[in-house]
Amino acid sequence: MAGTTLPTPLYGLYQEQIGFSELTVTVVFAVYAIAVITALLVAGNYSDAVGRRPVLLAAMGFSAASACCFLLESGLPLLFAGRLLSGFAAGLLSGAATAAVIELAPPGKKARAAFAATAANMGGLGCGPLLSGLLAEYAPWPLTLVFLVHLGLIAVACVLTWLLPETVEDPRRWPRLSPQGISVPPGVKGVFVPASVAAFAGFALLGLFTAVAPSFVAMTLDVHNLAVSGAVVFSVFLASTIGQSMTPKVGAVRALPVGCGVLVVGLLLVAASLLAASLPLLVLGALLGGTGQGLAFRAALTLVSGAAPPDHRGGTISAFFVVAYAGISVPVVGVGALAMGLGLRTAGLVFAGCVTVVAACAGAYAALHPPARS
């Protein structure tokens, strides 16, 4: 997952080298999200049939191919190809890895396993920009070294995955793909709808920080240190992981509306940072928004995975991630398009306002209609 966010602090360097607009940055990012959604729709339930391990290894193969595209990068085509392959990797990994970690856990530790899975997901996404920002600022070969390091990490992950036991009973040998669309068992829909809308709003915040925050830090705040840009993005994912660790104490049913409320406060602080051109406010908004996103996200995933029948768990979780990743792609491209005409600050304010409304509605609905009773 760290590989999917490695390019985040480097987009400014790519803009100088290749020459493209802020809209192109968000489109490059959206290509990744579209690839994630495509993989989830086409193969989201494939690990339920073929087994978790083959799908995880295939995901890491796509991730390695993505790193090679960035190493060979000579223009926008390979940049797009790298993001596309990275999206396929994340799409295959999201549902299969989450299901595998939960299934590998002993009976009394399923909740801890769900936290391990989501913390690895968010922690990896946060470590990507932190790692690339530090290496690009303080080490040689800013557009090369980080992807060589990533290839080494993939090699280690492949060995560990190969040694894991298979958790799917009687896996079939390479069955045909059966694209599922967004397939959710009827008994799960009462939980799925409020949970997935909350995830959409939270992932929209993550998308803003991953795609646009480095540009805002450089262009509006005049901070050009890539390590600082990477750390700002890292802060929202770190806070998300902390929020996820708090979910069991709050309880999944209560954490969903509470997380949405904290997310709303974080979005308002992000908007305030845009108006005041304040880095401390931006970081505070990232920390609060990330905490709310983490609370709501883990609660949502726990409720959805707990309600899904075992033979449809991988597909149901993948459908959940489809909605979540739509939150990353659609609003962020809108920010890029608005920034072309209105400027980055105004576009960010419009984004913050829209996502605040979605998060507030999701939180209010979850509070009035607790998913456990649906």
Side-chain angles (χ1 to χ4, degrees):
M1 293 307 294
T4 67
T5 52
L6 283 178
T8 295
L10 308 179
Y11 284 134
L13 299 179
Y14 287 122
Q15 281 181 292
E16 292 175 8
Q17 185 182 86
I18 303 171
F20 50 80
S21 67
E22 197 61 42
L23 176 60
T24 303
V25 173
T26 58
V27 172
V28 168
F29 186 79
V31 164
Y32 156 76
I34 291 168
V36 174
I37 293 170
T38 301
L40 289 169
L41 291 174
V42 173
N45 59 349
Y46 199 55
S47 71
D48 290 332
V50 76
R52 311 299 182 203
R53 189 194 294 116
V55 173
L56 296 179
L57 290 172
M60 282 180 279
F62 279 119
S63 191
S66 170
C68 291
C69 285
F70 282 100
L71 286 171
L72 299 171
E73 179 274 320
S74 58
L76 276 175
L78 277 178
L79 209 61
F80 278 111
R83 295 304 287 154
L84 191 73
L85 291 167
S86 184
F88 289 149
L92 289 176
L93 190 78
S94 296
T98 302
V101 170
I102 292 171
E103 291 163 353
L104 284 166
K109 297 184 178 179
K110 298 295 183 183
R112 185 179 298 179
F115 171 63
T118 54
N121 194 315
M122 291 300 155
L125 290 169
C127 287
L130 183 65
L131 174 64
S132 61
L134 288 169
L135 290 179
E137 187 65 33
Y138 300 116
W141 316 317
L143 296 178
T144 302
L145 181 60
V146 66
F147 297 105
L148 293 174
V149 171
H150 181 227
L151 285 173
L153 293 173
I154 292 171
V156 174
C158 285
V159 172
L160 294 174
T161 302
W162 184 262
L163 296 175
L164 287 175
E166 179 55 66
T167 58
V168 174
E169 295 183 10
D170 301 320
R172 287 181 274 162
R173 193 177 185 85
W174 302 116
R176 289 184 179 181
L177 286 170
S178 54
Q180 61 164 7
I182 300 181
S183 176
V184 179
V188 184
K189 289 182 179 178
V191 174
F192 185 87
V193 172
S196 59
V197 172
F200 178 95
F203 269 58
L205 175 74
L206 300 183
L208 178 74
F209 273 88
T210 308
V212 180
S215 296
F216 175 74
V217 169
M219 296 165 58
T220 305
L221 304 181
D222 199 29
V223 177
H224 299 279
N225 186 303
L226 297 179
V228 172
S229 295
V232 169
V233 180
F234 171 73
S235 67
V236 73
F237 290 101
L238 174 65
S240 173
T241 305
I242 293 171
Q244 291 173 38
S245 70
M246 296 162 57
T247 302
K249 298 175 184 177
V250 180
V253 174
R254 186 181 299 172
L256 193 57
V258 170
C260 288
V262 178
L263 175 59
V264 166
V265 176
L267 285 163
L268 293 175
L269 284 170
V270 170
S273 75
L274 295 172
L275 290 170
S278 168
L279 181 60
L281 273 179
L282 181 65
V283 173
L284 185 58
L287 292 173
L288 275 175
T291 301
Q293 187 276 338
L295 268 170
F297 176 70
R298 185 180 176 189
L301 183 59
T302 300
L303 292 167
V304 169
S305 62
D311 56 336
H312 290 287
R313 184 171 291 124
T316 303
I317 292 172
S318 294
F320 171 79
F321 276 106
V322 167
V323 180
Y325 273 97
I328 279 185
S329 57
V330 177
V332 168
V333 174
V335 169
L338 284 173
M340 295 293 291
L342 302 177
L344 191 57
R345 180 179 298 177
T346 303
L349 288 170
V350 172
F351 166 90
C354 293
V355 179
T356 296
V357 172
V358 174
C361 290
Y365 183 88
L368 295 173
H369 307 278
R373 293 187 215 152
S374 300

